[in-house]
Amino acid sequence: ETGVTQTPRHLVMGMTNKKSLKCEQHLGHNAMYWYKQSAKKPLELMFVYSLEERVENNSVPSRFSPECPNSSHLFLHLHTLQPEDSALYLCASSQDRFQGEDGYTFGSGTRLTVV
Amino acid sequence: EDQVTQSPEALRLQEGESSSLNCSYTVSGLRGLFWYRQDPGKGPEFLFTLYSAGEEKEKERLKATLTKKESFLHITAPKPEDSATYLCAVQAWYGNKLVFGAGTILRVKS
């Protein structure tokens, strides 16, 4: 399988639940990203990983916890979320964190609903 | 702070009616400006990267241009399958992230 794969595609969770989002890329890229997309708002960067090291945390609340065990996998662990955290969570990868001619490759996202 | 503003917010065209989308940006040293297309329920799909003022790139019915303050995405003789949200993003030389605009929702009716 090629490209960036995100699972699950849809997730409904209560405010007291703990869940994880998974992202996998088979492109040989060295940088991976989590973005949040809310309705009618720009994509909002959450985290940047380069060679499995977190290089940016864009003031994200601690109820979101990223993990990058290797250059092909990225997780976003969720706990005690709020209804306003409901959004489309997008994972992306690129050859390196300084971009490049081919841009980012995005996954299809996980549609998260917090009830 | 790097900023991207896209206009219009939404655009409805008849099939074959050419038009342009605008992306205005402020960034302290532009490394690159990027255009993406996003279909409902999917992640953004990369279209173009532009690096310097005066640069142009084309792909089928789309042409992207860049000046020092803005970029245009020209759509020539659009078809219904061109309907999507078009996103613009910039990256600064000192940064390792893309800053996105809110997008333009394009609807092309046959």
Side-chain angles (χ1 to χ4, degrees), chain A residues 5-51:
Chain A
T5 303
Q6 290 187 244
T7 54
R9 290 295 312 276
H10 301 274
L11 178 63
V12 179
M13 60 185 289
M15 289 190 284
T16 58
N17 290 161
K18 289 184 179 181
K19 296 286 184 183
S20 296
L21 310 184
K22 179 182 176 182
C23 175
E24 187 172 0
Q25 60 100 356
H26 301 276
L27 300 167
H29 288 169
N30 293 317
M32 296 186 77
Y33 313 82
W34 281 116
Y35 274 86
K36 176 182 178 181
Q37 188 174 34
S38 303
K40 297 191 175 182
K41 289 186 177 181
L43 269 75
E44 179 184 342
L45 178 71
M46 300 177 74
F47 302 104
V48 180
Y49 275 83
S50 175
L51 297 171

Side-chain angles (χ1 to χ4, degrees), chain A residues 61-77:
Chain A
S62 60
R63 57 186 184 270
F64 295 92
S65 174
E67 179 190 1
C68 188
N70 55 60
S71 60
S72 298
H73 294 85
L74 186 65
F75 295 88
L76 188 62
H77 304 297

Side-chain angles (χ1 to χ4, degrees), chain B residues 5-50:
Chain B
T5 303
Q6 291 188 246
S7 61
E9 190 175 315
L11 180 63
R12 290 189 174 189
L13 299 174
Q14 286 296 124
E15 184 172 2
E17 180 187 2
S18 301
S19 189
S20 297
L21 313 182
N22 178 263
C23 171
S24 298
Y25 65 91
T26 54
V27 62
S28 301
L30 180 70
R31 177 185 290 271
L33 183 139
F34 304 85
W35 282 98
Y36 288 82
R37 168 192 170 127
Q38 186 174 22
D39 293 302
K42 294 188 176 182
E45 176 187 348
F46 172 75
L47 292 173
F48 303 109
T49 307
L50 301 167

Side-chain angles (χ1 to χ4, degrees), chain A residues 9 35 37 56 101 104, chain B residues 36 38 41 57 91 96 98:
Chain A
R9 290 295 312 276
Y35 274 86
Q37 188 174 34
E56 181 142 357
E101 184 66 27
Y104 288 4
Chain B
Y36 288 82
Q38 186 174 22
K57 288 193 176 174
Q91 184 180 25
N96 55 18
L98 294 188

Side-chain angles (χ1 to χ4, degrees), chain B residues 11-13 37-40 61 75 78-86 104-110:
Chain B
L11 180 63
R12 290 189 174 189
L13 299 174
R37 168 192 170 127
Q38 186 174 22
D39 293 302
R61 294 176 292 282
I75 304 175
K79 298 182 177 182
E81 54 261 42
D82 295 321
S83 297
T85 298
Y86 289 85
T104 293
I105 303 171
L106 174 66
R107 292 288 176 261
V108 182
K109 299 185 97 174
S110 58

